[in-house]
Amino acid sequence: MPAEILVVDDEAAIADLVELYLRNEGFTVHKFSSASPALSYVEHTPPDLAILDVMLPDMDGFTLCQRIRERHLFPIIMLTARMEDMDKITGLTLGADDYITKPFNPLELTARVKTQLRRCTRYNQPLQPEFEEYDIRGLQISRETHKCFLYEEELALTPLEFSILWHLCSRQGRVVSSEELFEAVWGEKYMDSNNTVMSHIARLREKLHEPSRKPKFIKTVWGVGYTIE
């Protein structure tokens, strides 16, 4: 079955252009010009991926992303007309998987959609049984079921957050650099100015209820990377 893509953008010309390119690639597209009906649609029929504009008439895209993340784990790509790094960090921290700045090349957006769908599919594939689960002081993570529990309470992790946490748990006791983590999880070349890893680590710590000064699980080794001891 073709992947179902949700597009939320109040600029009809942009939404139509995105729809055209995605449909040409065989995707099914559902368009909305505001957040409220899009959120209602998601609750009844969750898509395989969502593309959310930041500037919407009834609710900003960051809030919409956060509302979706309360119950759903499908990939989210944010569209922003602004270049500020803080906008990008905000979106990633609230659960977005990627962002793209307007004006954008529709072919690039299509490529990113395909990349996120591939990653989502790969992260949800059960692996061979030899490395299927870790239990670290009440933090349980299983790659076979793709679930994570903290003191027996299930955590709602996005596919990227799960992959980051799994990578750290599988290297317990080692310090993992931001470069290694980014290239292992995202499969792309790491750039020194990339704040993506930091943003996702911050979001993970929130979900783990980690105190900022003395985290119990994900610890920062300044100038080196991150570790789970």
Side-chain angles (χ1 to χ4, degrees), residues 2-39:
E4 305 272 338
I5 310 296
L6 172 70
V7 177
V8 187
D9 197 313
D10 63 339
E11 296 185 61
I14 291 179
D16 291 344
L17 182 64
V18 171
E19 178 185 28
L20 175 64
Y21 276 80
L22 292 179
R23 286 189 182 277
N24 284 342
E25 294 296 326
F27 298 119
T28 300
V29 179
H30 305 276
K31 292 186 303 181
F32 293 90
S33 59
S34 58
S36 296
L39 191 59

Side-chain angles (χ1 to χ4, degrees), residues 6-215:
L6 172 70
V7 177
V8 187
D9 197 313
D10 63 339
E11 296 185 61
I14 291 179
D16 291 344
L17 182 64
V18 171
E19 178 185 28
L20 175 64
Y21 276 80
L22 292 179
R23 286 189 182 277
N24 284 342
E25 294 296 326
F27 298 119
T28 300
V29 179
H30 305 276
K31 292 186 303 181
F32 293 90
S33 59
S34 58
S36 296
L39 191 59
S40 178
Y41 173 81
V42 166
E43 293 308 307
H44 291 90
T45 314
D48 296 295
L49 180 144
I51 300 171
L52 311 179
D53 186 25
V54 170
M55 304 299 291
L56 296 170
D58 57 341
M59 180 191 305
D60 67 76
F62 296 137
T63 303
L64 176 57
C65 176
Q66 188 175 31
R67 292 280 298 277
I68 289 174
R69 276 290 174 256
E70 291 173 359
R71 298 185 59 181
H72 303 282
L73 301 177
F74 54 78
I76 296 175
I77 299 176
M78 303 296 298
L79 297 180
T80 174
R82 296 177 292 187
M83 292 293 291
E84 287 86 350
D85 285 341
M86 187 53 62
D87 281 347
K88 301 170 185 177
I89 293 171
T90 298
L92 293 170
T93 300
L94 293 175
D97 298 280
D98 198 1
Y99 59 84
I100 190 166
T101 305
K102 296 180 180 178
F104 56 85
N105 185 328
L107 293 174
E108 179 185 357
L109 177 60
T110 302
R112 294 198 186 194
V113 166
K114 291 180 179 179
T115 297
Q116 290 299 330
L117 290 173
R118 283 197 303 270
R119 287 173 179 163
C120 185
T121 300
R122 185 171 73 246
Y123 296 154
N124 282 281
Q125 290 288 333
L127 296 189
Q128 295 302 317
E130 55 261 34
F131 301 109
E132 42 178 41
E133 186 171 320
Y134 291 96
D135 188 340
I136 302 173
R137 301 186 304 280
L139 175 64
Q140 297 174 303
I141 185 168
S142 170
R143 206 163 181 181
E144 181 179 16
T145 63
H146 208 272
K147 290 185 178 181
C148 181
F149 294 85
L150 180 61
Y151 308 129
E152 300 185 356
E153 178 182 350
E154 185 172 357
L155 303 179
L157 302 183
T158 67
L160 280 174
E161 289 167 350
F162 182 93
S163 189
I164 290 170
L165 188 57
W166 177 266
H167 193 84
L168 291 173
C169 288
S170 68
R171 288 153 180 77
Q172 183 182 2
R174 271 190 51 198
V175 179
V176 179
S177 68
S178 296
E179 180 179 0
E180 175 188 336
L181 198 54
F182 184 84
E183 294 184 359
V185 174
W186 278 265
E188 300 174 4
K189 183 66 177 176
Y190 178 80
M191 304 298 289
D192 289 341
S193 61
N194 196 321
N195 293 312
T196 303
V197 171
M198 180 182 67
S199 301
H200 281 79
I201 290 290
R203 181 63 174 167
L204 264 174
R205 283 173 169 160
E206 287 182 13
K207 293 186 177 182
L208 291 168
H209 310 297
E210 293 264 62
S212 57
R213 293 185 179 273
K214 292 186 177 181

